[in-house]
Amino acid sequence: MQARKRLEEAIANDERIRAMTDELDTLFELAREGEDVYGDIERDMKAYGELLERLETAMLLSGENDARSAS
């Protein structure tokens, strides 16, 4: 069951990353066309970076590293 849960979480995270990437692509395209979306890009880039940091931390603390402690 744990393996299934990890896979489901990985799929959900992949979908979140893909959706955020698509949104950013759209915003960059709008910016190239002259739209004033720089505030939106800044906000979304910050959220994207925060998500990636959380996922990286979770990855480092899971799997083969689960049983390891800081001591």
Side-chain angles (χ1 to χ4, degrees):
M1 283 306 266
Q2 286 181 341
R4 180 182 174 150
K5 183 179 177 186
R6 278 195 296 266
L7 288 173
E8 289 172 347
E9 287 175 0
I11 291 169
N13 288 331
D14 181 64
E15 290 171 353
R16 267 186 247 142
I17 291 169
R18 186 181 324 248
M20 291 178 90
T21 301
D22 290 346
E23 177 68 20
L24 282 166
D25 284 343
T26 300
L27 288 172
F28 281 116
E29 181 62 34
L30 289 171
R32 282 190 290 275
E33 294 173 358
E35 297 289 327
D36 184 19
V37 292
Y38 297 107
D40 295 329
I41 290 172
E42 184 176 358
R43 180 198 65 226
D44 287 2
M45 288 292 294
K46 182 179 178 185
Y48 192 75
E50 290 169 355
L51 173 63
L52 293 178
E53 284 180 26
R54 282 194 311 272
L55 293 174
E56 181 179 19
T57 300
M59 182 182 68
L60 291 172
L61 299 175
S62 66
E64 68 182 46
N65 299 317
D66 249 352
R68 296 182 185 172
S69 66
S71 55

